[in-house]
Amino acid sequence: MLTTIVVSAQETNSTWPKDIKSGDYIITLYNPENESYLDNKLISNIAFAIKKDGNEPIFGMLWTTSILDVDRTTRIASLASVKIDEVKLSEEISENDKKAFETLINNEIPKWNIEFPLDEFIESLKQVTVNTSELNNEAPTIVFSNEPAVLILIDGEPKLKAAESGYELVENSDTFIIKKLKSNTFYLKGGQFWYTAKQVIGPWTTIDKVPSKIKKIAKKAQTNDKDSEDEYTGEAPKVIVASPPTELIVFEGEPKFTPIQKTNLLFIENTGSNIFMNITNQTYYILLSGRWFTTKDLKAKWTYIASEKLPEDFKNIGSDSTKAEVLSSVAGTKEAKNAIYDAQIPQTAAVKRDTKASTVTYNGSPEFQNIENLELQYAVNTESDVFKDNNTYYLCDNAVWFKSSSPNGPWQVADERPSEVEKIPADNPKYNTKYVYIYETSPTVVYVGYTPGYYGSYVYGPTVVYGTGFYYNPWYRGFYYPRHYTYGFSIRYSPWYGWSFGFGFGSPYGWYGHSYWGYHRHHWGPPYYRPPYHRPPHHRPPNHRPPNHGENRPRPRPSQPIYKDRDGIKDYTRPAQRPSTQPSTRPSTRPSTQPSTRPSTRPSTQPSTRPSTRPSTQPSTRPSTRPSTQPSTRPSTRPSTQPSTRPSTRPSYTPNTRPSTRPSTPSYRPAPRPTSRPTARPSTPSRSRPASTGMRRG
């Protein structure tokens, strides 16, 4: 909820009321009521009292519209600007006093350091613009193993590229796989283990002695990333090679079932994966990348099942259960609603106009192709996100938009996005870029942000999922450019840490990623972004037990925002008042998506720019944020309709702008909070939530 006194993620108690001294007056601010978060605008009403020395207090109500500034790492948000839409005071107060009080409040509010825990804010919301996505939910190939095993993904047919004389590397895999031409033998390095095989697909066997030349090449390909250190010390896992989409499930021996209290559900306890058996219909359910799949036989074909069609018992899983983290993927739960709301909250930053873009490299001359049903084109022979919109070129470089008159630059920070970026369909590999926004501009900086959709968290129906579910064919014409994966890395969602890896055998970084040709790529997100990963229980620090976690639940290593430590970008340091050079196209009226929950006690002199009624239908999609959230229930999900009053520098997000050829998807919006909720809470401390230092998607 909105507060003015919480200044760090460690402070979980908000104390109300808050007194602000201004000359002879004391303004007392009471617990705000956050009505909605629509189009990155927070609409709130706040009870207040003004007291002059020796006089009785005068009570009133404020209605405000604010813009959020968010640090998703510390889980702290603040108000970058506060606009007072309306002030209501008693009719007994003279008009002169009313004007004086309104002037005082308008002068003081921009000075307030209004800062609050992001998780409390999400809990307090009644309405959020939700951006849902059209995703692919076809089940991946699911491979089971009863012994330690690792899944090695090769992106299509193996592509061999000469490394050094007599040796070739498999270029379209994150794993170091090399072929010795003389002996026609393949070698694979995973963590501290070496394997050999006659075919890339295996079978692979462990070896102790490796040719010295191959060791030298492997050392050259080793990254300097400290997170790449392998923490696994067990026996060498079995190597399983596959092309995506594939998911590996590892059991420690034969499956062992454990009941979940007060339900008809069993779960398999000797695996890091989430697999359940419903004893009433003798059916298995598995959760992969936020999606549920079901079967009658573990070894048979799995089929997708919408989360709202799960047996009711899934909603009865306790918040203190070992399997409580799956509640975020169960329709109708508070955890699922919070995950959807969280998927709409951006990571924000102020970008200086002289910020430099990363170098864009093409494989030959720039080659563009149209996005289906759009005039917008994207470059296919580069790993950078380059678009052509008429005669202007745009670059989405680590969640910052740049533009140029040439595909090779020079690039300048853009104050608008490509006109059709919001219409990019999920089956296009550049889909995630629609979740990078430009909010406002000034002569010196551009205010930007991205929601979890940029890194693959999307809202789909009533929950969030990871990845679009589509397999994107990589570019390979003598040079390999990977695309994003949905499956293969045991991606799972936690209410405490968001999306992260989950590997049963140990750290993924000792097995995946090498930089022999000077680059370090991964398949799980945009360049330079990595979700955190779950450490196995035996790697958990002593006495570490996150709130409501089961004793053996693994802890992910947190990641940093994409904007972190980048030259020319100021993290979370917007001015108290927005610059007067705001684009002239920005409307002065409030959005038509304003909620209908405004108090009925508002005066009849309400500004004419405020709509008197709210549309009967809430847009089902949120602007270019965090899936479904990536999700499209959260990223793709994080996260597309915006109010029509949005400035022309942002695209139109109304439903009728979607291509007619796009498939239909569920339109879901979390139920609004009860309308009986008081407009101002009493001056009691707000309910606290544990702070989270892990990233949820951005």
Side-chain angles (χ1 to χ4, degrees):
M1 59 183 62
L2 193 65
T3 76
T4 61
I5 65 169
V6 177
V7 296
S8 70
Q10 285 71 38
E11 289 188 52
T12 57
N13 293 320
S14 304
T15 303
W16 295 94
K18 169 69 174 175
D19 289 337
I20 299 171
K21 180 73 173 176
S22 177
D24 295 333
Y25 292 92
I26 296 177
I27 302 174
T28 300
L29 180 69
Y30 295 95
N31 201 343
E33 182 81 355
N34 295 322
E35 293 188 0
S36 65
Y37 179 68
L38 306 171
D39 187 25
N40 197 39
K41 292 180 181 179
L42 174 63
I43 300 173
S44 308
N45 60 73
I46 308 171
F48 70 91
I50 298 179
K51 182 178 181 181
K52 192 173 183 179
D53 293 342
N55 296 333
E56 289 296 316
I58 297 174
F59 293 92
M61 185 76 74
L62 298 174
W63 282 266
T64 63
T65 299
S66 311
I67 294 180
L68 281 186
D69 212 359
V70 182
D71 182 343
R72 295 189 62 88
T73 303
T74 62
R75 306 292 296 172
I76 288 293
S78 61
L79 299 185
S81 64
V82 181
K83 175 187 173 185
I84 299 177
D85 300 305
E86 189 177 338
V87 179
K88 183 179 180 182
L89 293 164
S90 170
E91 294 180 356
E92 298 176 358
I93 300 174
S94 69
E95 288 300 319
N96 288 338
D97 283 344
K98 283 184 180 181
K99 291 180 180 179
F101 289 147
E102 289 181 9
T103 299
L104 174 64
I105 293 169
N106 274 286
N107 289 337
E108 290 300 322
I109 275 192
K111 303 175 185 178
W112 298 350
N113 180 28
I114 301 179
E115 204 170 67
F116 48 93
L118 186 57
D119 295 292
E120 287 188 7
F121 165 68
I122 292 171
E123 281 280 352
S124 73
L125 286 175
K126 292 180 179 179
Q127 285 187 318
V128 170
T129 304
V130 176
N131 181 5
T132 60
S133 299
E134 294 83 11
L135 306 178
N136 178 22
N137 295 313
E138 184 178 353
T141 299
I142 301 177
V143 179
F144 293 93
S145 176
N146 298 104
E147 59 181 307
V150 56
L151 178 66
I152 303 300
L153 293 175
I154 297 179
D155 202 359
E157 291 296 320
K159 303 294 184 182
L160 295 172
K161 184 174 181 178
E164 298 187 18
S165 178
Y167 297 90
E168 294 178 334
L169 277 171
V170 176
E171 191 176 20
N172 55 333
S173 176
D174 273 340
T175 306
F176 181 84
I177 305 175
I178 191 169
K179 180 181 181 181
K180 185 177 181 181
L181 298 180
K182 186 176 181 179
S183 61
N184 195 33
T185 303
F186 289 89
Y187 295 86
L188 182 154
K189 185 179 188 297
Q192 304 303 313
F193 305 106
W194 280 96
Y195 299 80
T196 185
K198 287 296 183 181
Q199 301 291 334
V200 174
I201 61 173
W204 291 89
T205 57
T206 57
I207 55 172
D208 295 324
K209 294 183 179 181
V210 180
S212 58
K213 182 66 173 180
I214 291 180
K215 285 187 174 181
K216 290 180 180 179
I217 297 175
K219 187 174 182 180
K220 181 179 178 180
Q222 185 175 350
T223 67
N224 295 322
D225 191 345
K226 294 181 180 180
D227 284 341
S228 295
E229 296 176 2
D230 184 51
E231 299 175 354
Y232 179 71
T233 57
E235 63 180 281
K238 177 183 177 182
V239 171
I240 299 173
V241 176
S243 292
T246 305
E247 197 76 54
L248 172 66
I249 308 299
V250 178
F251 300 121
E252 296 179 9
E254 293 298 320
K256 297 179 181 179
F257 293 86
T258 298
I260 297 179
Q261 292 184 352
K262 300 179 181 179
T263 73
N264 293 309
L265 300 176
L266 309 176
F267 73 92
I268 299 180
E269 65 172 22
N270 57 333
T271 178
S273 302
N274 291 309
I275 307 177
F276 300 84
M277 157 61 73
N278 182 8
I279 61 176
T280 59
N281 59 8
Q282 294 294 295
T283 301
Y284 291 97
Y285 299 86
I286 189 170
L287 182 62
L288 301 174
S289 297
R291 297 165 173 84
W292 290 97
F293 301 94
T294 184
T295 187
K296 289 285 187 178
D297 183 347
L298 285 177
K299 298 180 180 180
K301 180 178 176 60
W302 292 78
T303 57
Y304 171 76
I305 179 172
S307 61
E308 59 266 38
K309 294 183 179 180
L310 289 171
E312 250 339 270
D313 272 324
F314 279 93
K315 294 181 182 178
N316 298 327
I317 297 175
S319 60
D320 58 349
S321 168
T322 302
K323 290 297 179 181
E325 69 180 14
V326 305
L327 289 171
S328 298
S329 299
V330 177
T333 63
K334 181 181 73 172
E335 291 82 357
K337 186 271 294 181
N338 285 349
I340 290 176
Y341 280 18
D342 183 73
Q344 316 309 315
I345 308 299
Q347 171 71 62
T348 55
V351 181
K352 294 181 180 179
R353 286 191 175 273
D354 59 358
T355 298
K356 303 298 182 184
S358 301
T359 301
V360 177
T361 302
Y362 299 92
N363 181 19
S365 299
E367 184 176 332
F368 290 83
Q369 71 180 38
N370 280 84
I371 297 173
E372 184 180 3
N373 298 318
L374 302 180
E375 295 296 324
L376 186 64
Q377 297 180 315
Y378 73 101
V380 295
N381 60 333
T382 177
E383 66 178 344
S384 300
D385 295 323
V386 182
F387 298 87
K388 183 180 180 182
D389 188 0
N390 293 320
N391 294 322
T392 303
Y393 296 88
Y394 290 87
L395 167 66
C396 185
D397 177 29
N398 293 298
V400 178
W401 284 100
F402 295 84
K403 66 179 180 180
S404 174
S405 59
S406 166
N408 297 300
W411 300 97
Q412 296 179 333
V413 176
D415 52 14
E416 61 182 1
R417 308 191 306 166
S419 58
E420 293 184 308
V421 67
E422 181 59 28
K423 300 178 184 179
I424 298 176
D427 59 1
N428 186 277
K430 303 302 180 183
Y431 177 73
N432 68 305
T433 60
K434 68 187 287 182
Y435 297 99
V436 179
Y437 304 102
I438 298 172
Y439 297 117
E440 293 183 329
T441 66
S442 80
T444 57
V445 297
V446 176
Y447 299 102
V448 303
Y450 65 91
T451 55
Y454 182 55
Y455 54 80
S457 178
Y458 306 111
V459 176
Y460 189 81
T463 59
V464 296
V465 301
Y466 181 84
T468 65
F470 290 100
Y471 172 66
Y472 305 115
N473 292 320
W475 167 271
Y476 190 89
R477 198 179 296 169
F479 204 80
Y480 171 61
Y481 297 118
R483 310 301 188 194
H484 304 168
Y485 281 14
T486 296
Y487 304 104
F489 300 97
S490 190
I491 298 286
R492 75 275 307 277
Y493 187 88
S494 163
W496 306 277
Y497 301 112
W499 295 103
S500 56
F501 292 113
F503 283 74
F505 66 90
S507 162
Y509 296 123
W511 285 76
Y512 294 95
H514 60 84
S515 56
Y516 181 82
W517 287 285
Y519 56 81
H520 187 193
R521 299 193 184 102
H522 293 288
H523 300 299
W524 43 77
Y528 312 114
Y529 173 76
R530 292 191 221 156
Y533 68 90
H534 280 273
R535 292 180 176 180
H538 55 277
H539 291 306
R540 189 177 66 250
N543 303 320
H544 177 85
R545 187 176 183 180
N548 294 328
H549 265 50
E551 180 62 27
N552 293 320
R553 187 168 295 139
R555 179 182 67 87
R557 177 177 295 176
S559 295
Q560 297 295 331
I562 300 172
Y563 300 131
K564 184 72 173 178
D565 299 327
R566 181 170 178 177
D567 291 340
I569 296 182
K570 297 180 179 180
D571 292 331
Y572 340 121
T573 54
R574 293 186 181 180
Q577 289 178 301
R578 288 291 178 186
S580 59
T581 54
Q582 196 172 345
S584 59
T585 55
R586 190 172 185 85
S588 59
T589 58
R590 294 285 294 276
S592 61
T593 53
Q594 188 174 343
S596 59
T597 54
R598 287 285 187 193
S600 59
T601 55
R602 284 191 158 186
S604 59
T605 56
Q606 187 172 351
S608 60
T609 57
R610 184 187 300 279
S612 59
T613 59
R614 189 177 183 276
S616 60
T617 57
Q618 175 74 23
S620 62
T621 56
R622 170 178 163 70
S624 62
T625 134
R626 15 259 248 235
S628 132
T629 336
Q630 241 195 55
S632 225
T633 64
R634 166 187 195 258
S636 331
T637 35
R638 179 142 197 280
S640 115
T641 58
Q642 272 185 316
S644 59
T645 54
R646 191 74 176 164
S648 61
T649 55
R650 295 276 307 273
S652 171
Y653 304 118
T654 52
N656 60 10
T657 60
R658 303 182 88 87
S660 59
T661 55
R662 279 180 143 181
S664 60
T665 57
S667 174
Y668 176 86
R669 190 175 181 282
R673 293 185 179 238
T675 56
S676 59
R677 191 173 179 181
T679 57
R681 294 183 181 177
S683 57
T684 54
S686 61
R687 184 170 62 86
S688 62
R689 274 177 63 102
S692 171
T693 58
M695 187 192 65
R696 295 196 185 187
R697 304 12 57 215

